[in-house]
Each structure stands twice: as structure tokens, then as C-alpha cells.
Amino acid sequence: MYYYSRAWYLHLISKSKTLPQLTQIQAHLTLSGLLSSSSAADPIPATRLLQRLSSLSAVDHSLLLFSSLPSPDLFLHNLLISSLSLHRRPSSSLRLYSSLLRLPLCPDNFTFSFAISASASLPSLIPGRLLHAHSILSGYASDRFVGSALVSLYLRFSSVASAEKVFDRITDPDPVCWNTVISGLSWNSRFHDALRVFERMIGEGQPFDSTTLAAVLPAAAELLELHLGMNLHCLALKCGFESHVRVLTGLVSMYSKCGDVSAAGFLFRGIDGPDLIAYNAMISGYTSYGDVASSVKLLKELLIGERPNSSTLVGLIPVSSPFGHADLSRSVHGLSVKCGFSSVCAVSTALVTVYARTDDADSARRLFDELPPWERSLASWNAMISGYAQCGRTDAAVSLFGEMTQTTALRPNPVTAASVLSACAQIGAISLGRWARGIIAREELEANVFVSTALIDMYAKCGSIADARRTFDEMPEKNVVSYNVMISGYGLHGRGREGLELFEEMLGSGVAPTPLTFLSVLYACSHSGLVEEGRRVFQSMVEVHRVDPKPEHYACMVDLLGRAGRLEEAHRFIESMDQEPGPGVLGALLGACNKHKNTKLARAVSEKLFELEPERASHYVVMSNIHSAERNYREAAVVREAAWRKRLTKTPGCSLIEVGGGLHVFTSGDRSHGRSDAIYTMLEALGAKIAEAGYRMESEVALFDVEEEEKENMVKVHSEKLAIAFGLLGTEVGAEIRVIKNLRVCLDCHNWTKFVSKVMGRVIVVRDANRFHHFKDGICSCGDFW
């Protein structure tokens, strides 16, 4: 047989296109002796064969060839470790690394970088940490290749603090290292941190490339920082990167998410032959902006010459504004099934998000459960947890968070933390909130501004305003959302003056207020009786800060004046508005009429409300109560009959209390609790004690068409009274009792709780639908102003 020269075989290897061609060349090489089992065999042909086999994804053939070589050198080991990692065989890659350690070969920086990259695909961080330790012992702790792989590994597992420590120890990091950090931080939703690293990179005079800009643009997009995005666009123009497809695609996405769809469209049309990624960015931009027609039109254009991928479908799903696009979401769901993408994690996650936001948590959960456990990404868990929280299924949100932390190797990121803290805030379960905070602290997420803000909100809504303020003061950086939440928390607890002081501090720090800031401040003033202060805030909002009042601001001002008894002034304020008063504004005035017993004005207001919201039961209930309080039972009957004819029902009152780590829910007259007999015995004992202290029942709010004795019995068993009685039974003497109620606390329950706090020597905290009430020594923090 005739044998070709070594150079000719190498040429054949480089030109081979298929696996059969390579196996034939391998056979010839073996017969020619160039792949001999002798230790003196030329390593070059084997190396080229391995490289070409890897490029053809023939991993098993690569392993067979490697095992036939007598003593492969370090380069061949590195080549196969890298190939196995690239072709999603991380366990095989690490086994080869382990076998290398038993040979008289020392791993180098390439060995560690390839092995660490392989470990990033495993479900656990432990192998990666062991490789990190090995690299330190081998003297590669500050190597840029190893460091970059370690940074990517830790960010893949959301261990941001570890990634930053590794990065800070790299000697002279190159653009690849910087890009890895920036893109990894963005992937972990640490957008502010990603921008901070980019600013540091520029400040240190480090060279950057188009990949750097492509990595930092998503952070500007997600933070909706249009001005910053425009600065990055200018930087790209100055450096000549504006024509790079990845940068252009990032700019299209940034402008789209920041609401400047026309700029995004202009850039997209300027791309010469846009690829699928560019199409996906523009489709997503149109969908995010709510321009569904344009996104569907662009999809049709794409389908003419190219098949969509999973990212195309994700961009079509109206996650940011799902309401009104239920049909589109179902259509995309159907298309994803037809295209075979329904089991793709990103598509499933987007659909889970959109179904949850349209209050279809059951459909969202079915999709989530259809994903195999090993396919569920952190984003999919986040979507389901936040979906439950948004749908009011707070217990399910907390339970799913616990399942994620206990049964998977995934580590929560800021989105996970904010979602579960929101759920804890909704149910007012401070022990659950503290449990969640413990996990957040363990995962080193507290430094994140979004997580810290969610912690403030959780503490405020769970009744611990001191912990909320302590968390706020400990924040290394504060944004407008942080201030808004803290000011709103002060309002919720009736500490309006502290809210105003914080608002002044915010203005002094240079943080610009938003419409929500003014709403939070007005709310704080309203719940503290700070009428003049509220006036000044509203005036400065309009005249100084040039913020156009929304219906919510007007409603807050009416509530402020109405609570203070200035009903005629509130009425004149409504008449002076430059827009028609909506249900929120008129509802605030009707509530004030109820509080101050102004039947005449209430009639006029209720007539308009019945026209605007004929199906809203609460308006009928308030009007009926106003008539009942004046003993005008005939008029009250007319209102209730109108509600009955419309088949309107009042939301049943319920109260939640946390005792012994468990959550207990009571409804009015509830006897389903396991300690029901003891609870009712306690109620009777409390009734006798507080009667001696001067308590007299307020029964006017009870139904009017029953006897007085029956009214009193009905008021006696309101849900918060049952919850407080159980709290007295289930907690230690002197312990604080916390109750969450879904409706506004009634006059009698408010009075009853004041007396109970006095005779039992307990602090009782009640959060109703409007605010917090802190009862101590017979006095409520609201000053009877709620």
C-alpha cells in the first residue's frame, strides 16, 4: 500500500467535512505508523485529528482516539477537556482532569480554565470550588485565563461576592475578564453593579471592545436608563463600533425597552441584512412597547426567509403588558407547541410569567410543572414565585421558594429575593420574612438595592417600622424607589412627620422625586392629619417639580381634607380639578362622608359612584352604613335591596395572625379553629374585663334589620377579635400581638382593641386595609384618625 507524507495527511485532515472521511484518514495514519502505539509517535497528527473530531462534535470518537494513544501530552489533555466541556459532557471533562492528576503531568492555566468552564455546567458549585482551590495551590490564583473562568463560574451560580473577589485578584485583567464580569452581573440582574464595573473599567483607562459595549447595553436597557444608553451609543460611534452587529442589536433592544421604538426601528432598518438575533430584538421591542401589530408583521417578514427560534417566540409574548393580549399569548403558546419550543425553558418561563400576570396561576403552574426538574432555570422559578405573589397566592409563593432552596442547587438572585419578600409583606408574616432574610444574607444579596428595598417594604408591611428604617439607613446606595417605599411605610404607620422629614432629606440628597414619591408623601400626610403640610407638598409637586397630578394624587388630597372633616373644602377641590373626578376621588369623599356623618353630600357623591361603578359592592355598603348610623333604616334598606338585585356581595372580612411559626386565619363568627372553645371563652372573659374598665359596644355598623342584642352578638365575633383572643392564648405574657385584616377595622373593634391592650398590658398591632394601628395602654397610634 502506498502511504502519503505527514504533511499530506495533515492537509487531508484540515479539508475533511464528515466523520467517515476522518475515520478513513485515521485508519491510513495508523497503518502508516503516524498513529503508532509507540511512545515516540509524532503527536501532531493525533492533535489535528482530535481538533477536527471536536469541530464535528464527534466526542465519542475523540475519546476512543485519545484512549488509544500511549502517553498523550498536556496539550492533548487540555484539548479533550475543552472539547468535552464545549459539547456538554462536563462530567467526562472533569473525569479526564482527575485522571491527569495521577500522571507525571502538571495542569497549567489552560487546564484549569477548561475544567472550571466544564464545572459551570454542573448542577452544583462544589466541583468548581474544588477546582478553584486546586488552581490556588498550583499558583494560578491571579492568572487572567483561570480568573475569567472562575468569575464566569461564580456568576453562573449567582455567587456575586465570590466572583468579585476573584476578579479583584487577577493581575492585569484583559477585556475578556472585564466583559465576563459585566455580562455576568447583568445576567444576575445586578444591573447597577454591571454599570459600576464598566465605569471603573473606563476610569482605569482599560481598553474595551465591541463585546464590552454589547455586554453593558442590557444593563442600561433593563434599568430604563435612556440617557445612559444614548451616551453608550455615542461612545460606540466615537470608537467605530456602531456597525458591529452585536452592538447594533444591543442598541435596538435598549431603545425598545426604554420606550424609544422609533429610534430602535431606525437602527434596525440600517442593518444590512439583519440576522435572526436582530429580528428578535426588534420583535421584542415592539411587543414591550405594546405595538403587537408591528411585532406580528415583523414575524411574518422573518418567516419568509428564516425559521424562528425560541428567542423569537419569547420576544412575541407580551410579558410587559399582558392585559388585553390574552389571545396573542395563547396563539404564541400554540405556535411554540407546533415548533417544538414549548419545552424550551425560556419560552415556558415567558408563558408562565404572562399567565401569572393575567391571574391564571393554575395555567402558569401547569406549564412550570411540565418542565423537567433539571430543565428549570432560576428564571423559571422566579417567574412562578413572583407570579404567585402577584396573584395573591402568597402561601404558594413562599412554599415554592422553600422548595427551590431545599431541593435544587440553584441559588436565589435579587429577583427571587424581591419576589418572596413581596409575598411575606402581603401576608404580614414577619417570621417568614426573617427566615427569607436569613437565606438572602447567606447568599450575600442584601447589598443589592432592589433586595434592600424589598426588605424595607416587607418590614414596614409586617409592622416593624424600626427594622424598616434600620435597613434603609444601612443601604450603601439609595434610589428613588428606596425613598418612596420608606416614606410610604411611615404613612402606613401614621408617622407622617417622619415621612415628611425623609422627603426633605431625599430632596437634599439630589434624588429627583417621581409621581409615586408625591403619592407616598401625600398618603403619609393624609394618615397623620397633616393638612397644611399636604397642601404644600401638592402645590410644590405642580408648581416646582412640574409633575402633572394623576387621579391618585387628587384622591389622596380629597382623602386628606376629608379625614380632617373639611368636606366642603374637599368638594370644592374636586370641582376645581382640570379632569372629571373618577371613582377613586369620589370614593375618598364618600368615605369621609361616612366618617363625619354628612348624609346630604354622601347622597350626591354615591349617585355618581353608582353610575361610574355600578358593580362595586363597597359603595352600597358605605351608603347603607351612613343611613343606618342615622337610624334611617328605610333608606338603608333601599340601598341594600339595590345591591341585592345586582347580586353584589361584600368581601368577607378575615384576619390572620402568626403564632408559634404558623399562620392562622379567622372569619367573622368562625368556629372551625381547633381551639375554638378556648377562644370564645377568652372573648367572654375579655368582655367582662373591659366592661369594668368602661368599654361600651358600638353596634351601629351592624345590620339594621335585627334586634339590638343580635347586633351585639354579631359585632362580638368579628374576625380580628377572634384572632386577638387566640393571640392572647398562644403567646407568652407581655408578647406583642400582630394581626393582619383584609378590610378596614370597624369602630367597635378599634375601640375594643384599645381597651384590651390596656387591661391585658399588651402591645397589639393591627394592619387593616388602610394602615397600621399600634395599640398600647388603651391608646392607638392613629389617634382615632383612620
Side-chain angles (χ1 to χ4, degrees):
M1 179 181 286
Y2 178 75
Y3 298 108
Y4 295 98
S5 68
R6 171 180 176 273
W8 179 246
Y9 282 119
L10 296 180
H11 175 72
L12 286 176
I13 292 171
S14 67
K15 294 297 181 181
S16 59
K17 301 292 185 183
T18 65
L19 181 59
Q21 290 174 351
L22 273 178
T23 54
Q24 288 181 48
I25 297 168
Q26 182 181 347
H28 276 270
L29 282 167
T30 304
L31 290 172
S32 69
L34 291 173
L35 281 180
S36 167
S37 59
S38 168
S39 60
D42 185 356
I44 301 300
T47 303
R48 295 290 177 83
L49 264 176
L50 276 175
Q51 288 174 327
R52 195 67 187 138
L53 285 167
S54 175
S55 68
L56 294 176
S57 302
V59 179
D60 291 327
H61 281 79
S62 298
L63 285 167
L64 284 172
L65 172 60
F66 184 85
S67 63
S68 71
L69 300 175
S71 51
D73 60 11
L74 182 60
F75 184 87
L76 285 172
H77 276 86
N78 288 350
L79 177 60
L80 192 55
I81 290 170
S82 174
S83 177
L84 290 167
S85 174
L86 288 171
H87 292 96
R88 299 186 178 183
R89 301 278 289 271
S91 298
S92 299
S93 181
L94 294 185
R95 278 195 294 271
L96 184 59
Y97 166 80
S98 298
S99 68
L100 170 65
L101 299 180
R102 295 189 290 271
L103 300 173
L105 294 173
C106 293
D108 61 9
N109 54 348
F110 293 105
T111 316
F112 284 114
S113 63
F114 296 149
I116 290 165
S117 296
S119 71
S121 300
L122 295 173
S124 171
L125 180 59
I126 294 173
R129 287 195 182 277
L130 290 173
L131 285 165
H132 187 183
H134 287 187
S135 69
I136 293 171
L137 291 172
S138 298
Y140 294 109
S142 60
D143 182 82
R144 65 174 64 166
F145 295 106
V146 177
S148 184
L150 283 168
V151 167
S152 183
L153 165 78
Y154 283 121
L155 289 172
R156 155 71 178 78
F157 285 94
S158 300
S159 184
V160 176
S162 296
E164 289 179 335
K165 287 177 184 175
V166 170
F167 179 74
D168 289 338
R169 290 173 182 152
I170 298 174
T171 304
D172 191 23
D174 62 4
V176 174
C177 297
W178 289 95
N179 296 347
T180 301
V181 175
I182 293 168
S183 59
L185 288 170
S186 290
W187 185 83
N188 279 279
S189 301
R190 301 285 287 263
F191 306 117
H192 285 289
D193 292 332
L195 293 174
R196 174 180 52 78
V197 172
F198 177 69
E199 289 172 1
R200 175 184 160 191
M201 182 181 184
I202 299 299
E204 292 181 8
Q206 296 288 338
F208 63 91
D209 52 23
S210 60
T211 305
T212 315
L213 290 176
V216 79
L217 276 168
E222 293 298 331
L223 293 172
L224 306 181
E225 291 279 2
L226 179 59
H227 185 69
L228 173 61
M230 293 172 74
N231 285 340
L232 291 171
H233 190 177
C234 292
L235 187 60
L237 288 167
K238 289 179 180 178
C239 298
F241 297 142
E242 76 282 359
S243 60
H244 289 235
V245 174
R246 286 190 64 194
V247 174
L248 268 175
T249 303
L251 287 168
V252 167
S253 179
M254 183 277 297
Y255 280 115
S256 298
K257 289 184 177 179
C258 292
D260 194 347
V261 182
S262 59
F266 175 80
L267 288 172
F268 176 77
R269 288 188 295 273
I271 300 175
D272 185 18
D275 59 8
L276 182 59
I277 296 173
Y279 267 103
N280 291 349
M282 196 65 241
I283 288 170
S284 177
Y286 280 133
T287 305
S288 300
Y289 188 65
D291 189 354
V292 173
S294 294
S295 62
V296 173
K297 181 181 177 182
L298 204 59
L299 173 67
K300 291 177 180 177
E301 181 184 316
L302 173 65
L303 290 173
I304 294 172
E306 193 161 1
R307 185 175 184 269
N309 63 8
S310 58
S311 297
T312 316
L313 298 184
V314 171
L316 271 172
I317 298 169
V319 172
S320 58
S321 55
F323 300 100
H325 297 301
D327 290 341
L328 173 64
S329 299
R330 284 191 289 270
S331 296
V332 177
H333 190 177
L335 181 60
S336 69
V337 173
K338 290 178 181 177
C339 294
F341 295 136
S342 59
S343 60
V344 174
C345 187
V347 176
S348 177
T349 299
L351 287 168
V352 165
T353 302
V354 79
Y355 280 130
R357 289 188 181 175
T358 52
D359 290 333
D360 192 356
D362 292 334
S363 293
R365 186 57 191 260
R366 279 194 296 273
L367 272 170
F368 178 80
D369 289 339
E370 285 170 5
L371 272 178
W374 57 88
E375 290 285 345
R376 293 175 193 159
S377 66
L378 181 59
S380 63
W381 285 91
N382 287 348
M384 197 64 245
I385 292 168
S386 64
Y388 272 139
Q390 289 163 5
C391 292
R393 302 268 293 273
T394 49
D395 54 339
V398 175
S399 174
L400 193 62
F401 174 68
E403 182 183 335
M404 187 193 90
T405 56
Q406 294 164 20
T407 64
T408 76
L410 295 171
R411 303 177 69 176
N413 68 3
V415 176
T416 328
S419 298
V420 77
L421 288 172
S422 172
C424 294
Q426 287 182 50
I427 56 177
I430 197 163
S431 67
L432 283 176
R434 285 175 175 152
W435 165 74
R437 181 171 192 171
I439 295 174
I440 289 164
R442 187 183 73 203
E443 300 298 334
E444 303 171 332
L445 297 174
E446 288 181 297
N448 182 274
V449 66
F450 298 111
V451 176
S452 296
T453 300
L455 276 168
I456 294 167
D457 187 53
M458 183 275 292
Y459 279 128
K461 289 179 178 174
C462 288
S464 184
I465 195 68
D467 282 330
R469 183 58 195 250
R470 190 177 304 110
T471 304
F472 178 83
D473 290 337
E474 290 171 355
M475 289 179 70
E477 63 170 304
K478 303 175 180 70
N479 62 14
V480 66
V481 180
S482 313
Y483 278 100
N484 291 352
V485 168
M486 192 65 237
I487 293 168
S488 178
Y490 276 133
L492 194 62
H493 288 264
R495 294 166 69 166
R497 293 206 178 276
E498 287 161 281
L500 279 171
E501 289 172 6
L502 188 59
F503 174 60
E504 294 298 330
E505 179 186 317
M506 172 186 167
L507 295 178
S509 68
V511 177
T514 65
L516 189 58
T517 310
F518 290 104
L519 190 63
S520 300
V521 177
L522 290 172
Y523 176 87
C525 292
S526 174
H527 284 269
S528 303
L530 304 176
V531 178
E532 296 307 320
E533 291 85 347
R535 282 183 203 275
R536 287 196 293 271
V537 169
F538 186 85
Q539 187 176 4
S540 72
M541 177 183 76
V542 177
E543 297 178 1
V544 178
H545 297 279
R546 303 297 180 186
V547 174
D548 293 328
K550 300 290 189 297
E552 297 82 9
H553 298 102
Y554 286 120
C556 226
M557 278 302 296
V558 171
D559 188 58
L560 172 68
L561 295 168
R563 284 176 185 274
R566 304 184 184 186
L567 298 183
E568 292 302 325
E569 190 176 344
H571 190 220
R572 289 195 300 274
F573 177 82
I574 292 174
E575 291 178 335
S576 70
M577 288 169 48
D578 58 1
Q579 56 186 257
E580 282 296 314
V585 174
L586 295 174
L589 185 56
L590 183 62
C593 292
N594 183 28
K595 178 178 175 64
H596 296 287
K597 308 297 184 290
N598 188 325
T599 309
K600 181 181 177 182
L601 183 57
R603 285 179 189 275
V605 174
S606 64
E607 286 177 6
K608 292 181 181 178
L609 279 170
F610 294 156
E611 291 176 11
L612 291 171
E613 293 186 321
E615 306 302 318
R616 184 79 174 266
S618 60
H619 301 324
Y620 294 88
V621 173
V622 171
M623 200 62 218
S624 174
N625 288 341
I626 290 173
H627 289 309
S628 296
E630 292 193 343
R631 300 185 178 275
N632 189 349
Y633 299 137
R634 182 175 174 281
E635 289 293 332
V638 171
V639 175
R640 287 185 180 270
E641 185 179 354
W644 179 81
R645 283 199 305 270
K646 292 177 179 290
R647 298 187 178 183
L648 304 180
T649 56
K650 180 185 176 184
T651 302
C654 66
S655 296
L656 178 146
I657 185 169
E658 190 177 7
V659 173
L663 300 176
H664 304 262
V665 180
F666 295 89
T667 56
S668 184
D670 197 349
R671 287 188 177 271
S672 63
H673 195 276
R675 299 191 65 185
S676 186
D677 291 341
I679 290 168
Y680 278 85
T681 301
M682 172 61 81
L683 275 181
E684 289 298 326
L686 286 173
K689 282 187 177 183
I690 63 177
E692 290 178 7
Y695 164 74
R696 294 294 177 268
M697 182 174 290
E698 298 277 353
S699 60
E700 289 297 337
V701 294
L703 292 174
F704 57 85
D705 53 355
V706 295
E707 296 298 325
E708 189 67 28
E709 182 180 349
E710 191 174 348
K711 285 185 187 179
E712 292 185 3
N713 287 334
M714 293 168 68
V715 174
K716 276 182 182 178
V717 292
H718 276 186
S719 62
E720 57 264 56
K721 291 180 180 176
L722 297 174
I724 290 170
F726 177 65
L728 290 168
L729 288 169
T731 58
E732 295 180 359
V733 175
E736 184 176 284
I737 294 172
R738 296 169 184 263
V739 174
I740 308 295
K741 183 177 171 65
N742 67 327
L743 303 177
R744 181 179 180 272
V745 66
C746 76
L747 178 62
D748 177 70
C749 287
H750 191 267
N751 195 32
W752 181 89
T753 309
K754 286 198 293 186
F755 276 94
V756 170
S757 72
K758 182 178 181 181
V759 301
M760 300 301 292
R762 294 284 194 110
V763 173
I764 302 174
V765 180
V766 177
R767 188 185 97 188
D768 71 3
N770 288 344
R771 59 170 295 157
F772 269 95
H773 302 263
H774 296 256
F775 299 92
K776 183 179 180 182
D777 298 328
I779 299 171
C780 180
S781 60
C782 75
D784 298 335
F785 190 86
W786 85 101

